[in-house]
Amino acid sequence: MSAIVVDHLKKTFRVTVKQPGVVGTLKSLIRPERKDFHAVDDISFKIQEGEFTAFLGPNGAGKTTTIKILTGILNLTSGEVSVLGHDPFKRDNELRRSIALVMGNKQQLWWDLPAWESFIVLKELYGVSEAGFKKRIDALVPALSLEDKLHTQVRKMSLGERMKCELVAALLHSPRVVFLDEPTIGLDVVSQQRIRSFLRDYQKETDCTVVLTSHYMQDVAELCRRVLLIDKGRMVYDGLIEDLAKAHASEKRLRLTFTDQIDETDVTPFGSVVSFSGSDVVLTMPKADSAQKIGQILQSLPVLDITVEEPSVEEIISELMSGSGLPVSRET
Ligand SMILES: Nc1ncnc2c1ncn2[C@@H]1O[C@H](COP(=O)(O)OP(=O)(O)O)[C@@H](O)[C@H]1O
Ligand SMILES: [Mg+2]
């Protein structure tokens, strides 16, 4: 059964257009000019129960907006969405008790309370039984190594500890669908790793449905089988991570070192330049004619060393984003 259905979803914001400069500011104060901004522009997808899906895209792509619609925080402009068969914006209790939302840049725990007291409040709020609560705490707290932190005021915790507590809080009521919006943002590598392995084990054990947005491709590569990629409110890719790699195995990446400095224009005929530093060049080129191109490079340029690499998932994803008109950051 589909846990999440999104059908031709659109979300349009009315925004004020400001002309540049002081005059522009004054004009927009007196007679504000408004226009429609399509934050989510006709996207459709389905997510099956028990799937762990990455929801990716550059900043401003519309990920958070979509998640807010799916969790009933925002209403949609047109189209249809359903989560576990419910319309999220109706916010009925049954659905509220079956979903969870964790936002890396927003907290739901009370700043001045010890984490434990927040958990108790949430237990009451969600109507979790005493036995159920104990069972959840006993499972979640050790899994996140929070035993020593439960009675610490949230404000005194490190960002990583706070995020782990947010996860406990969000999962106390055994939600069947979990939305994680940048849960590892800003965390140190160790905390990221810890949360990542927790999420992997947790999802395996409970078989809940997870939708994850993250800037860290390692999160995605380790956790998710499926990727939804959006850009400027539109769907760019929907499929398995491994197919993403297959589809792009048509690209070869060449790392070249030359005995002398060369000009960037010397290598541009052979592929697209990823990075260039005089005698070190990284090039990508279609796999189909790579053998021929490599032959030509060896003949015409002073090559000291050459290695051929397959692009990583991270690169493939940024490649896809660039295909949709986004700038790809160069390596330099
Ligand atoms: N309440 C709002 N009013 C106007 N524009 C908004 C509002 N919320 C989000 N946006 C705009 O919609 C776009 C998508 O935002 P968001 O969903 O937060 O992107 P993402 O999470 O993918 O970075 C952005 O351009 C953002 O500025
Ligand atoms: Mg966002």
Side-chain angles (χ1 to χ4, degrees):
M1 189 195 132
S2 292
I4 299 170
V5 180
V6 172
D7 189 25
H8 295 290
L9 173 66
K10 289 193 186 184
K11 177 70 190 180
T12 305
F13 292 111
R14 284 297 273 173
V15 291
T16 309
V17 191
K18 196 185 98 54
Q19 307 299 322
V22 181
V23 178
T25 307
L26 288 175
K27 269 189 188 159
S28 64
L29 278 175
I30 298 161
R31 190 181 301 138
E33 186 192 331
R34 295 187 192 278
K35 66 165 201 178
D36 285 342
F37 176 77
H38 307 291
V40 178
D41 195 5
D42 195 4
I43 63 172
S44 301
F45 60 86
K46 281 183 186 168
I47 294 177
Q48 299 303 306
E49 277 194 43
E51 267 193 277
F52 202 137
T53 304
F55 190 41
L56 307 180
N59 275 332
K63 305 176 297 291
T64 300
T65 303
T66 305
I67 287 179
K68 283 181 175 171
I69 291 168
L70 290 173
T71 50
I73 295 172
L74 279 179
N75 201 357
L76 46 73
T77 304
S78 68
E80 258 181 79
V81 301
S82 95
V83 177
L84 298 170
H86 297 251
D87 171 357
F89 201 63
K90 287 194 178 140
R91 303 176 193 166
D92 46 80
N93 272 337
E94 198 187 327
L95 182 63
R96 217 168 48 86
R97 291 200 175 125
S98 312
I99 64 172
L101 170 63
V102 176
M103 295 180 127
N105 53 10
K106 220 173 184 173
Q107 58 167 43
Q108 64 160 333
L109 292 171
W110 288 270
W111 197 243
D112 292 312
L113 292 184
W116 179 253
E117 287 178 30
S118 286
F119 296 162
I120 301 280
V121 175
L122 290 166
K123 161 181 170 285
E124 298 302 326
L125 218 60
Y126 284 108
V128 180
S129 72
E130 206 60 55
F133 179 72
K134 188 175 181 313
K135 204 170 140 204
R136 300 297 286 167
I137 290 287
D138 287 350
L140 294 170
V141 169
L144 286 162
S145 313
L146 283 172
E147 293 93 334
D148 300 338
K149 298 290 164 194
L150 293 181
H151 300 286
T152 307
Q153 249 183 349
V154 170
R155 64 158 69 244
K156 291 180 185 150
M157 290 182 183
S158 72
L159 189 61
E161 289 161 359
R162 218 182 299 152
M163 204 56 223
K164 290 182 197 167
C165 288
E166 289 284 341
L167 282 168
V168 175
L171 301 173
L172 271 179
H173 60 292
S174 312
R176 282 166 61 204
V177 180
V178 182
F179 296 93
L180 303 165
D181 194 4
E182 304 276 2
T184 52
I185 195 153
L187 300 188
D188 59 279
V189 178
V190 177
S191 303
Q192 271 182 38
Q193 177 63 50
R194 194 63 212 262
I195 287 181
R196 206 181 292 140
S197 64
F198 165 78
L199 290 174
R200 185 178 41 226
D201 296 346
Y202 179 83
Q203 195 278 334
K204 264 196 196 133
E205 264 164 45
T206 61
D207 204 31
C208 61
T209 309
V210 184
V211 177
L212 168 80
T213 83
S214 179
H215 270 89
Y216 304 106
M217 288 307 145
Q218 209 173 344
D219 286 349
V220 175
E222 277 188 34
L223 295 171
C224 307
R225 286 191 61 228
R226 177 168 170 210
V227 178
L228 300 171
L229 192 66
I230 63 167
D231 180 27
K232 301 190 184 80
R234 290 176 168 269
M235 190 66 76
V236 179
Y237 179 83
D238 174 0
L240 299 176
I241 289 190
E242 61 240 45
D243 292 343
L244 194 65
K246 256 184 242 153
H248 279 253
S250 56
E251 285 269 297
K252 282 272 182 208
R253 165 192 266 259
L254 237 61
R255 200 172 278 277
L256 292 155
T257 308
F258 297 101
T259 52
D260 294 313
Q261 296 261 323
I262 58 151
D263 284 331
E264 189 165 347
T265 50
D266 293 335
V267 288
T268 43
F270 304 108
S272 50
V273 179
V274 179
S275 74
F276 178 85
S277 72
S279 59
D280 287 296
V281 177
V282 178
L283 273 184
T284 58
M285 59 182 62
K287 195 175 181 176
D289 52 18
S290 59
Q292 191 200 351
K293 290 273 166 65
I294 293 168
Q296 289 169 357
I297 292 172
L298 289 171
Q299 267 183 7
S300 59
L301 295 168
V303 176
L304 178 67
D305 194 17
I306 181 167
T307 48
V308 183
E309 302 165 355
E310 300 288 350
S312 66
V313 173
E314 288 90 324
E315 285 161 341
I316 292 166
I317 289 172
S318 59
E319 179 92 14
L320 272 176
M321 304 237 199
S322 75
S324 63
L326 285 153
V328 163
S329 61
R330 285 166 58 119
E331 261 189 357
T332 48

